Amino acid sequence: MSAAAAMDATAVSHNATATALGAGGVLASLLPEVQTLELFVAVSIFVAIHSLRQRRSQGLPTWPLVGMLPSLILGLRGGDMYEWITDVLKSRGGTFTFRGPWLTNLHCVVTADPRNLEHLLKARFGSFPKGPYFRDTVRDLLGDGIFGADDEVWRAQRKAASLEFHSAEFRALTASSLVELVHRRLLPVLAESESAGAGGVIDLQDVLLRLTFDNVCMIAFGADPGCLSQGLPEIPFARAFEDATEATTVRFLTPTAVWRAMRALGVGHERVLQRSLAGVDEFAYDVIRRRKEEVEAGRGGRSDLLTVFTKMRGEDGRPAYSDKFLRDICVNFILAGRDTSSVALAWFFWLLDRNPRVEERIVEEIEGIVAARKAAATGEVEEELVFQPEEVKRMEYLHAALSEALRLYPSVPVDHKEVVEDEVFPDGTVLKKGTKVIYAMYAMGRMESIWGEDCREYKPERWLRDGRFMSESAYKFTAFNGGPRLCLGKDFAYYQMKFAAASILLRYRVHVVPGHPVAPKIALTMYMKHGLKVMLSKRDNKGSKL
């Protein structure tokens, strides 16, 4: 080998050695990162396995820092939050504890056990108020009104409202206003849609919301906003009220610190809420000002709630309530009375479209009542049939069909309480002071343990005994709440729903547009997310006239 070749070989050897040493150095330098990565992967796998194993004991995986929030997000993205809650409750025997992220207020106990509901709504009512979390969340919209109030503030409003709801004058007002709205507005709007033929698609949920909004405004404020007028106009107060309600609902799905910061900055849904509340207040205070002028001038002969509360005086002879409090009272009753009946009716008509046998029985019952009136008729015949209160009361099967719709699709799908001292539910669930309790009415209607194996079927017959309607326990059927907070307007709500439903079904068949998507919306009340698009066809009878 020549000297040059030897030198080349030596150089190659040195280079190889240097390369090997360099690679070893790189590997040595990367070793801590590799070990860190392996440790991170191992810890992640351990945490994941541990969290997923907790599903068996807690119902949902519980992750460090974020708790059960990932499962909640997946439930929201799945499109039907209420079915997700139902599945979890069924897997946990009716009650589970939701653990939210650290340092948030999203921790709560969720239950659908009738024993627990009787405990919190009746037996231990004083230990389960609405609580400061609920009041603070809804205060901007509802103020100190009955919907979110507790203790003496709630009792005073409840007592005054209860006396008014049972007065003859109030009952006459509710009946007369309903007749006016159904026969002078609702039926003409439906007739116009039906006459349009195949092009006459109408959002029945929107129409029913307009009906109940006008009706409850007449009862609460003694004012007619005119939502259910020909052409279905956009009413600023109605739009502001709906936007404010939706923005308030978003707060329940947002950490308190976040929505409070957004409110301070005036951004996002908090900006919408502030703008909407301005519209609500403008309408409310204008009506209050005019009503006070009427009362002071001796012209306050109305029977609406605002007039009744405006006339009340304290021991010193001065008005018992401020304008702000009057505003809160009326806004609360509008919230309670506007959505519940209309939303229930929308689901009812959707269920009838899917269950024609039930519709046939309802129509048979209505036509039987009409036939009985014809047989007993003497003297002059009225031009248009208007159901009388005693006739509405005799609609037993319709009452059962509406109750069955409310069982499956309660207008308020979930409600909220907060425990003020340590408690234990009848099912053994331990509740620490300050725990928020959610009771899920939607899920209760789908519990086999409560309603049997056919709980998901629409069967009005389950409410009948020998052809007569028989109510269920308020802690099994909680559509109208229970205990001391049992809905004051329950009887009126049934009357309103039966009167409107019978007046429509006597004259029209309601067909849901094929392919129309029907799903609940996440809100304080169980709106249909896409409304209820329907077409109407006249019935082959002359029952609308005598």
Side-chain angles (χ1 to χ4, degrees):
M1 177 183 297
S2 66
M7 290 177 66
D8 290 341
T10 301
V12 170
S13 176
H14 286 167
N15 289 337
T17 301
T19 301
L21 289 173
V26 172
L27 288 173
S29 66
L30 288 175
L31 187 59
E33 283 78 0
V34 172
Q35 290 175 334
T36 301
L37 179 62
E38 290 177 343
L39 180 62
F40 175 75
V41 172
V43 170
S44 298
I45 292 174
F46 172 78
V47 169
I49 292 174
H50 177 70
S51 298
L52 291 170
R53 279 180 174 175
Q54 288 182 315
R55 182 194 297 268
R56 296 179 181 177
S57 61
Q58 299 179 3
L60 293 171
T62 305
W63 303 90
L65 298 179
V66 297
M68 296 176 175
L69 183 61
S71 297
L72 175 62
I73 293 172
L74 289 174
L76 288 168
R77 292 185 63 184
D80 196 335
M81 180 70 173
Y82 304 117
E83 282 293 340
W84 176 78
I85 292 174
T86 300
D87 290 342
V88 177
L89 284 168
K90 289 176 71 173
S91 70
R92 301 300 303 151
T95 304
F96 82 98
T97 300
F98 181 85
R99 293 171 171 80
W102 289 2
L103 304 178
T104 70
N105 52 13
L106 296 179
H107 304 276
C108 60
V109 170
V110 186
T111 187
D113 190 321
R115 297 172 300 170
N116 295 345
L117 263 69
E118 185 169 6
H119 185 81
L120 71 91
L121 293 176
K122 180 183 176 183
R124 298 286 293 167
F125 173 76
S127 296
F128 293 91
K130 287 286 187 177
Y133 168 71
F134 184 87
R135 287 198 304 275
D136 291 345
T137 304
V138 303
R139 188 181 300 277
D140 288 341
L141 174 62
L142 301 181
D144 296 315
I146 194 171
F147 201 86
D150 285 317
D151 303 324
E152 290 307 315
V153 175
W154 168 77
R155 288 188 180 89
Q157 293 183 61
R158 175 87 182 189
K159 181 179 179 180
S162 180
L163 290 173
E164 179 62 12
F165 268 66
H166 291 92
S167 71
E169 294 82 2
F170 184 80
R171 291 178 179 272
L173 170 65
T174 56
S176 61
S177 63
L178 188 57
V179 169
E180 173 69 21
L181 287 170
V182 168
H183 285 271
R184 300 296 168 261
R185 299 190 192 178
L186 174 64
L187 294 178
V189 166
L190 298 183
E192 183 179 0
S193 174
E194 186 275 334
S195 64
V201 174
I202 191 170
D203 183 349
L204 187 57
Q205 178 176 256
D206 176 62
V207 170
L208 293 169
L209 279 166
R210 290 168 179 271
L211 168 70
T212 54
F213 190 77
D214 282 354
N215 199 194
V216 75
C217 281
M218 290 178 178
I219 293 168
F221 277 122
D224 178 12
C227 293
L228 190 59
S229 301
Q230 290 295 113
L232 304 180
E234 182 81 6
I235 304 298
F237 173 57
R239 170 50 57 191
F241 190 89
E242 184 168 340
D243 289 345
T245 303
E246 290 188 8
T248 300
T249 302
V250 175
R251 286 183 172 181
F252 287 98
L253 303 174
T254 308
T256 301
V258 174
W259 69 253
R260 282 180 175 170
M262 294 174 67
R263 180 176 63 180
L265 296 171
V267 297
H269 60 82
E270 289 298 317
R271 182 182 180 184
V272 174
L273 179 58
Q274 292 171 13
R275 185 175 63 246
S276 302
L277 286 174
V280 171
D281 290 347
E282 180 182 3
F283 177 86
Y285 285 122
D286 182 59
V287 175
I288 290 168
R289 176 186 55 78
R290 287 187 279 110
R291 191 55 39 76
K292 291 178 75 172
E293 291 174 354
E294 289 179 2
V295 171
E296 290 172 1
R299 293 182 285 107
R302 301 169 182 261
S303 301
D304 57 88
L305 290 174
L306 176 59
T307 301
V308 171
F309 280 95
T310 299
K311 288 181 176 179
M312 290 183 178
R313 294 291 185 266
E315 294 181 356
D316 58 359
R318 298 172 63 85
Y321 301 110
S322 66
D323 288 1
K324 170 65 168 60
F325 200 65
L326 291 173
R327 174 262 184 212
D328 294 345
I329 290 171
C330 292
V331 167
N332 275 255
F333 276 101
I334 289 174
L335 179 67
R338 169 197 181 234
D339 294 352
T340 48
S341 296
S342 55
V343 167
L345 281 170
W347 288 105
F348 165 75
F349 279 107
W350 176 72
L351 285 166
L352 290 191
D353 185 67
R354 297 164 61 89
N355 296 270
R357 175 191 60 83
V358 174
E359 181 180 2
E360 289 173 7
R361 284 203 57 180
I362 293 172
V363 173
E364 286 175 4
E365 178 179 67
I366 295 170
E367 290 181 339
I369 290 172
V370 172
R373 186 197 289 199
K374 288 181 178 180
T378 58
E380 187 177 348
V381 177
E382 59 186 318
E383 176 66 19
E384 183 178 28
L385 188 147
V386 178
F387 290 112
Q388 300 301 313
E390 61 274 13
E391 293 174 329
V392 175
K393 187 176 181 180
R394 296 207 308 270
M395 298 175 184
E396 303 274 359
Y397 192 82
L398 176 57
H399 197 114
L402 287 164
S403 297
E404 182 71 346
L406 281 165
R407 180 185 71 84
L408 289 169
Y409 297 97
S411 298
V412 180
V414 297
D415 209 346
H416 173 280
K417 295 286 187 179
E418 190 168 323
V419 61
V420 296
E421 58 186 14
D422 292 355
E423 280 279 355
V424 179
F425 269 156
D427 69 358
T429 302
V430 176
L431 304 168
K432 295 297 182 181
K433 179 180 178 180
T435 299
K436 289 183 283 295
V437 179
I438 306 294
Y439 49 107
M441 286 83 87
Y442 178 92
M444 291 185 72
R446 287 157 176 75
M447 291 287 176
E448 293 183 5
S449 58
I450 301 175
W451 296 99
E453 294 182 357
D454 62 353
C455 59
R456 285 183 174 268
E457 296 180 28
Y458 181 58
K459 292 178 60 177
E461 288 76 15
R462 74 175 81 242
W463 295 88
L464 299 173
R465 303 290 185 277
D466 298 323
R468 299 295 301 275
F469 175 83
M470 296 293 291
S471 60
E472 289 283 359
S473 162
Y475 314 108
K476 175 180 177 180
F477 175 64
T478 51
F480 294 95
N481 221 317
R485 279 191 181 263
L486 180 70
C487 177
L488 280 171
K490 177 182 176 181
D491 291 342
F492 169 67
Y494 268 119
Y495 183 83
Q496 184 187 53
M497 289 188 293
K498 290 169 72 174
F499 187 90
S503 299
I504 294 171
L505 289 171
L506 180 65
R507 295 163 174 84
Y508 300 107
R509 289 187 174 88
V510 180
H511 312 279
V512 178
V513 172
H516 174 66
V518 173
K521 180 180 182 180
I522 303 300
L524 291 177
T525 46
M526 201 166 203
Y527 291 105
M528 290 181 172
K529 185 185 299 184
H530 309 287
L532 183 64
K533 299 296 180 65
V534 304
M535 296 179 63
L536 305 173
S537 61
K538 283 186 178 180
R539 289 197 181 276
D540 297 328
N541 62 46
K542 297 181 181 179
S544 60
K545 294 185 178 182
L546 287 179

